[in-house]
Amino acid sequence: MGISIEKNETTETVKTKKFMNYIDGEWKEPSSGKYIPVINPANGDILGEVAQSSAADVDQAVRAAVKAQKKWRLVPAPERAEYLFTVGRLLKKNKEKLAQIITSEMGKVIEEARGEVQEAIDMAHYMAGEGRRMFGETMPSELRNKFAMSIRVPVGVVGIITPWNFPIAIASWKSLPALVTGNALVWKPSPDTPIVAEEFVKIYEEAGLPEGLINLVQGSGPEAGAAMVEHPDIDLIGFTGSNAVGRKINERAGALLKRTSLEMGGKNAILVMDDANLDLAIESIIWSGFGTTGQRCTAASRVIVHEAVKQHLEEKLVEAVRSLRLGDGHDETVDVGPLINKKALEKVDQYVHIGIDEGATLLCGGKVAGKVGNGKGFFYEPTIFTDVQPDMAIAKEEIFGPVISIISVKDLDEAIAVNNDVSFGLSSSIFTADVNRVFQAMRDLDTGIVYINAGTTGAEIHLPFGGTKETGNGHRDSGVAALDVYTEWRAVYVDYSNTLQRAQIDTNTK
Ligand code: NAD
C-alpha cells in the first residue's frame, strides 16, 4: 500500500511527496512553484505538500481539454464507456488503498471511507452503462415525410470544483457522466484532499483515457477555482461545496452566461413521530448525525420530535452517544473521527456557544475533545442540544460538525412546517408506522431527498441527488438526471419530402 499513516516507514516517503497538477497527460509543477502542507486531521502529521496553481495552470489545462474534446466527442459513446468500465475495475482493485488515503487526509472512519470508494465504483459501472443508453426521444412531426428527434450532445469543456468531505465519490458523480457524454474535464479538488484526487486521476491514466481529457489542477478556491470560473473556454462549472462559495461562483458565472450545476449546504432533519420505532430512530439519528463527524451534506443536524416521545428519545440518545468512540479513523473500533481542520473545529465550538447563549439546553458534549490520540487532532465531542427553538441559529444554519438540535412539536403538520422553515432543502426523514403520515411527508417535505424509516443519509448512485431552495440551482448529481447537466439537448428535424414544408403554416392542424 502506498500511503498509510499507521506505518512509520511509509509515512517518511509520504512527508516529502508533492501533489502536482496533471495536464495534457503529464504530471507538472504549478507555474507558481508554490506548495502548502497537507495535514492528517487526526494527529497533525504532514502527509505531503499540494501545488498552489494559478490562472496560468488553469489556462494550460483548458487548452489541453479543448484539444482533447474535439476528438473525444466523435468517439462512439459505447466505446467511451469501455474506459469507464476499466476505471470501475481499477477502483475496485485499489479500493482499500484509496479508502486508507481518504481516512488519512480527511479523517472519516475507515468503514465509511470504503463505502465512499464503493460509491465511485458503482458510479463508474452505472455511467458506463449509459454509454449504451443515453436516450434521446423521437416524436411525430406535424408535417408529412418528416422525422423529428432529440439527441444529447456534450457541453464541451467542464470545470469541476469539489469539496473534501466526499473527495472521490463527488468527483466520480461529476467526472464519469461528463466523460461518457463526450466532454473533457478540468478538475480542481479541495486543497484538503489532494492525495486521493491524484490517485483517482492515476486510475483514469491507467485506464488509458486519451491525454488531455482529464486535467487535474490542484490549489486554492479563490485562485485556481476562480480562474476556472473566469476562463472563457470552460463551458460549465460543476460545483459541490458551501453555499457562500456556490453563490459567489453563480454570480460571476451568471454575468459570463456560463452554465453552473451547484450542490451546496443542508440543514437536514429527522422527524420522529409518537408511533415511531424509537430504537431504530435512535440508531439512525446517531448514524446520520455523527457519521463522518457530522460533515456530510446530508448529515442530520435537527431532530424534530413529537412531544409525547421527546423525553424517552433524549435519554436513549444520550446513552447511545456515551458509547461512541472518538479517534483515528484507521482504527476499526473508532466510531467518530476528527473534523477536517482547525478552522472547522473552531466553527463548531462557536456554534455550540451560540446555542448556549440562545438558551438551548446542552444534553451532552459541547467541548473540544483535546485528549484524543496525540492531542494534535481536531476532535469534538458529539453534542446534543434540546429545547431548541426553530428560529435559533443552531436550528437554521449549517454547522457541519457533530452537533444535533432537538426541536419538540405537537403533530406532523408542525413537524413538516419546522422542517421546511430553513433556507436549505437537501434531505429529510420521518420515522412513523402510519402510512397516511408517510404519504403526507413524501408530498410535503420540501427537500430533494426524503427517507421513510431511515436516517437522512444513504443516497444510492442511480437516484438523483440534490436539493431544493438554497441547496442547489435545480440540477441533480448522480442517476440519469446527471446526464442533463453534462449534455445539451439538440432537436433534429429530417425532412424527406423534397418540398418546402413550413411548420405551423403548411399543416392540416390549423
Ligand atoms: P467550500 O465551498 O469551502 O469548497 C468547495 C470547493 O470550492 C473547494 O474545492 C474550494 O477550494 C473551492 N472554492 C473555494 N472558494 C472558491 C472560489 N472563490 N471560486 C471557486 N472555487 C472556490 O466547501 P467545503 O468546505 O470543501 O465543503 C463543505 C461544504 O460542501 C458544505 O457546505 C456541504 O454541505 C457542502 N456539500 C454539499 C454536497 C451536496 O451534494 N449538496 C455534498 C458534499 C458537500
Side-chain angles (χ1 to χ4, degrees):
M1 195 182 306
I3 295 170
S4 163
I5 62 151
E6 290 167 319
K7 295 190 175 68
N8 287 334
E9 63 275 17
T10 52
T11 311
E12 272 312 298
T13 53
V14 169
K15 272 186 182 166
T16 54
K17 177 103 175 84
K18 286 183 167 177
F19 300 101
M20 301 194 287
N21 294 333
Y22 182 74
I23 296 174
D24 211 6
E26 282 178 37
W27 292 95
K28 290 189 174 167
E29 300 265 358
S31 52
S32 68
K34 287 188 198 144
Y35 288 83
I36 58 164
V38 186
I39 291 170
N40 180 334
N43 54 24
D45 278 1
I46 293 178
L47 300 170
E49 296 181 305
V50 58
Q52 291 301 286
S53 305
S54 59
D57 304 297
V58 169
D59 187 54
Q60 268 187 37
V62 176
R63 283 167 197 260
V66 168
K67 195 174 70 186
Q69 200 266 336
K70 287 197 172 117
K71 291 187 187 155
W72 184 242
R73 75 183 184 89
L74 301 176
V75 175
E79 200 179 316
R80 291 182 213 141
E82 287 302 320
Y83 292 97
L84 271 65
F85 280 121
T86 309
V87 167
R89 278 195 295 275
L90 291 170
L91 284 168
K92 198 167 179 177
K93 191 173 137 202
N94 290 285
K95 181 172 171 179
E96 186 57 27
K97 172 182 168 187
L98 294 165
Q100 296 286 346
I101 292 171
I102 290 171
T103 296
S104 296
E105 65 178 342
M106 66 70 62
K108 69 174 66 169
V109 300
I110 189 67
E111 192 184 20
E112 290 180 33
R114 291 184 189 119
E116 178 180 348
V117 180
Q118 187 58 46
E119 206 167 324
I121 297 167
D122 295 342
M123 194 67 186
H125 293 145
Y126 177 76
M127 278 300 157
E130 278 304 329
R132 288 186 186 270
R133 285 188 297 266
M134 221 176 282
F135 298 134
E137 292 175 319
T138 60
M139 303 85 158
S141 166
E142 64 190 37
L143 294 159
R144 285 163 194 264
N145 297 326
K146 192 166 179 180
F147 187 85
M149 63 188 148
S150 63
I151 57 172
R152 290 183 184 276
V153 295
V155 172
V157 173
V158 171
I160 290 176
I161 301 178
T162 51
W164 48 266
N165 68 333
F166 279 87
I168 198 164
I170 291 175
S172 80
W173 292 358
K174 296 183 190 299
S175 61
L176 293 157
L179 286 169
V180 80
T181 49
N183 301 284
L185 304 177
V186 176
W187 174 26
K188 195 206 80 63
S190 165
D192 285 312
T193 49
I195 312 180
V196 77
E198 176 167 310
E199 292 298 320
F200 193 18
V201 168
K202 281 182 178 163
I203 281 175
Y204 274 118
E205 191 180 27
E206 194 180 338
L209 200 73
E211 284 168 9
L213 267 186
I214 184 158
N215 301 279
L216 178 69
V217 179
Q218 302 269 22
S220 83
E223 195 159 3
M228 286 166 65
V229 179
E230 291 296 329
H231 203 293
D233 291 331
I234 289 189
D235 303 290
L236 159 72
I237 296 287
F239 168 83
T240 295
S242 64
N243 210 264
V245 172
R247 196 180 287 269
K248 206 182 280 180
I249 288 176
N250 215 31
E251 279 168 10
R252 188 59 194 139
L256 298 168
L257 285 184
K258 187 174 295 217
R259 283 169 65 154
T260 57
S261 163
L262 309 171
E263 294 295 343
M264 298 171 286
K267 190 69 190 173
N268 316 293
I270 294 182
L271 280 55
V272 184
M273 294 294 100
D274 49 348
D275 61 348
N277 174 342
L278 281 188
D279 290 339
L280 177 63
I282 286 154
E283 251 190 294
S284 307
I285 292 166
I286 296 288
W287 170 238
S288 292
F290 300 131
T292 322
T293 322
Q295 302 171 109
R296 294 182 192 159
C297 49
T298 53
S301 60
R302 295 180 297 159
V303 172
I304 303 172
V305 61
H306 193 289
E307 58 187 7
V309 292
K310 175 176 177 268
Q311 196 185 342
H312 183 65
L313 185 92
E314 284 172 3
E315 284 164 12
K316 291 278 184 187
L317 271 177
V318 170
E319 207 179 297
V321 167
R322 293 224 167 90
S323 69
L324 292 176
R325 266 203 76 206
L326 266 66
D328 185 329
H330 290 281
D331 177 343
E332 306 266 356
T333 65
V334 160
D335 301 299
V336 182
L339 288 155
I340 183 68
N341 52 35
K342 191 159 178 271
K343 206 170 138 204
L345 189 72
E346 287 167 359
K347 180 181 164 195
V348 169
D349 200 41
Q350 272 166 18
Y351 267 110
V352 167
H353 283 98
I354 289 171
I356 293 166
D357 292 346
E358 285 177 316
T361 309
L362 195 58
L363 280 181
C364 59
K367 286 198 294 292
V368 172
K371 291 194 178 142
V372 178
N374 66 0
K376 293 185 186 159
F378 310 118
F379 293 93
Y380 203 87
E381 292 178 357
T383 299
I384 302 182
F385 278 111
T386 190
D387 304 327
V388 175
Q389 298 305 312
D391 59 351
M392 290 179 177
I394 56 168
K396 292 253 180 208
E397 294 166 22
E398 187 182 50
I399 300 174
F400 224 55
V403 182
I404 290 176
S405 292
I406 299 179
I407 302 168
S408 169
V409 291
K410 288 191 182 61
D411 56 27
L412 177 61
D413 286 340
E414 190 185 351
I416 290 173
V418 170
N419 177 77
N420 293 349
D421 189 24
V422 289
S423 57
F424 301 109
L426 185 53
S427 180
S428 58
S429 119
I430 181 166
F431 284 83
T432 177
D434 180 343
V435 71
N436 295 346
R437 285 171 161 176
V438 165
F439 275 86
Q440 188 185 340
M442 282 160 54
R443 185 192 62 195
D444 294 341
L445 289 171
D446 187 3
T447 52
I449 308 167
V450 174
Y451 292 92
I452 311 297
N453 291 323
T456 51
T457 60
E460 299 179 29
I461 60 94
H462 47 294
L463 275 78
F465 185 94
T468 60
K469 299 188 275 186
E470 291 181 16
T471 290
N473 64 341
H475 300 285
R476 292 293 183 267
D477 270 346
S478 81
V480 78
L483 299 184
D484 289 333
V485 174
Y486 298 104
T487 55
E488 296 273 10
W489 278 115
R490 179 167 295 161
V492 182
Y493 300 91
V494 183
D495 192 321
Y496 53 100
S497 67
N498 247 347
T499 55
L500 172 67
Q501 300 196 84
R502 298 168 302 171
Q504 295 91 39
I505 298 171
D506 299 327
T507 69
N508 276 329
T509 57
K510 286 176 279 192

